[in-house]
């Protein structure tokens, strides 16, 4: 392995912190907590999940399970299941990366070679995390032992879960879309946290959030998308993004008053920042 577990862990924790520093309406940030979770819960979760995610001796599924287990033991709630599910393959990809290979190619190799054992570990992790809105399914229920590989299990879930969809599309939403939103905003404003806001807002204006739709169906999808489109328009006109903070507060309060939390999109934001960091890391070899 070219990069140490400490290096990868540091980048993972930094990505988690950038996302917390981003004002994401409806979600937890340093600007506004909510949903019975605090910023400190998320910081602790990032700290305790990093060692398992970056352990070179673990299978992909083991990384996910032990990261979730460490989080559950530390904060007693599901703060980062989606983050872990998205970040584990990215960190694994760097561990197996070779010269003349892109991060995306290494990631595709990791995902395509997942096993039934990986799926079984992930089923245990999801059951332990107890994410909201997750019900029983006819095929590959998490309460049963897995009988398909992890990518096959994700394919079954991909129509209802945007995180699962990343596994079967090779993280298309990130590599073909959100990292460019991030780079454009970073180039314009020079702040990583506001680049993360741009990713979150832009994705929500275009894609329904899986976490919301698991709980409420499409009841709030149009409202969320229109609010994020409004924020996006205001950001596009802003020389200094701080000027939209009052609008972000208003929409944050509106969403939280309805217990609407775009958690999947927040997880995708972390994964986008981590992807940027990891691509930069391997480009400097």
């Amino acid at each position: 392995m070219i990069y140490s577990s400490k290096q990868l862990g540091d980048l993972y924790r930094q990505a988690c912190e950038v996302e917390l520093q981003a004002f994401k309406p409806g979600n937890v940030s340093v600007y506004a907590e909510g949903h019975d979770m605090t910023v400190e819960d998320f910081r602790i979760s990032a700290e305790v999940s990093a060692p398992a995610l970056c352990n070179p001796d673990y299978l992909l599924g083991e990384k996910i399970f032990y990261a979730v287990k460490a989080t559950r033991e530390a904060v007693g709630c599901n703060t980062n299941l989606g983050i872990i599910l998205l970040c584990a393959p990215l960190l694994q990809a760097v561990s197996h990366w070779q010269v003349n290979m892109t991060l995306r190619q290494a990631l595709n190799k990791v995902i395509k070679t997942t096993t039934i054992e990986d799926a079984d570990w992930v089923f245990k992790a999801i059951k332990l995390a107890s994410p909201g809105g997750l019900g029983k399914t006819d095929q590959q229920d998490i309460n049963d032992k897995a009988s398909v590989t992890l990518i096959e299990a994700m394919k079954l879930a991909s129509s209802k879960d945007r995180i699962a969809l990343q596994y079967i599309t090779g993280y298309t939403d990130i590599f073909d879309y959100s990292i460019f939103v991030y780079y454009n905003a970073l180039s314009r404003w020079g702040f990583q946290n506001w680049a993360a806001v741009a990713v979150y807002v832009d994705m929500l204006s275009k894609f329904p959030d899986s976490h919301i739709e698991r709980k409420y169906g499409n009841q709030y999808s149009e409202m969320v998308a229109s609010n994020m489109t409004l924020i996006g328009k205001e950001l596009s006109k802003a020389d200094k993004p701080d000027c939209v903070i009052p609008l972000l507060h208003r929409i944050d309060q509106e969403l939280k008053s309805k217990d609407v939390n775009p958690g999947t999109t927040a997880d995708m934001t972390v994964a986008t920042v981590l992807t940027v960091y990891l691509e930069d890391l391997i480009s400097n070899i």
Side-chain angles (χ1 to χ4, degrees), residues 12 44-55 58-75 77-81 83-85 87-88 91 121 125 128-129:
Y12 165 73
I44 292 170
S45 300
E47 187 66 35
V48 301
S49 59
L53 285 175
C54 301
N55 187 328
Y58 283 165
L59 300 170
L60 178 62
E62 287 179 297
K63 290 182 177 185
I64 292 167
F65 174 78
Y66 285 111
V68 168
K69 183 173 183 286
T71 299
R72 195 77 191 184
E73 290 172 351
V75 299
C77 61
N78 171 30
T79 49
N80 63 356
L81 173 63
I83 292 171
I84 290 168
L85 286 169
C87 292
L91 293 162
W121 281 112
L128 182 61

Side-chain angles (χ1 to χ4, degrees), residues 108-249:
N108 282 326
K109 186 175 181 180
V110 167
I111 291 172
K112 288 176 181 177
T113 55
T114 63
T115 64
I116 293 175
E117 188 177 0
D118 284 322
D120 208 42
W121 281 112
V122 171
F123 284 14
K124 291 174 185 174
I126 296 171
K127 186 176 179 181
L128 182 61
S130 302
L134 196 68
K136 284 185 170 290
T137 59
D138 293 332
Q139 294 178 293
Q140 298 304 310
D141 192 284
I142 61 162
N143 295 294
D144 302 329
K145 193 168 180 61
S147 60
V148 297
T149 66
L150 181 56
I151 191 171
E152 289 168 337
M154 290 297 185
K155 188 172 184 178
L156 292 170
S158 62
S159 63
K160 295 181 178 179
D161 188 285
R162 200 153 202 98
I163 292 172
L165 183 64
Q166 303 316 304
Y167 276 71
I168 67 164
T169 62
Y171 286 47
T172 290
D173 285 345
I174 291 175
F175 285 102
D176 290 343
Y177 177 67
S178 65
I179 60 171
F180 297 106
V181 175
Y182 179 92
Y183 280 125
N184 287 338
L186 185 64
S187 174
R188 184 177 179 194
W189 297 316
F191 296 102
Q192 293 182 68
N193 60 322
W194 283 105
V197 172
V199 168
Y200 178 85
V201 166
D202 211 85
M203 292 195 80
L204 276 174
S205 70
K206 294 178 174 65
F207 309 121
D209 185 271
S210 303
H211 181 70
I212 295 173
E213 295 208 333
R214 271 199 303 273
K215 291 181 71 176
Y216 301 113
N218 62 5
Q219 179 180 351
Y220 295 114
S221 300
E222 188 175 335
M223 180 267 284
V224 171
S226 63
N227 275 328
M228 297 302 157
T229 298
L230 173 61
I231 296 170
K233 286 179 180 176
E234 293 303 310
L235 282 172
S236 71
K237 297 183 290 185
D239 292 328
K240 294 183 178 180
D242 301 55
C243 69
V244 304
I245 286 178
L247 176 62
L248 294 172
H249 272 296

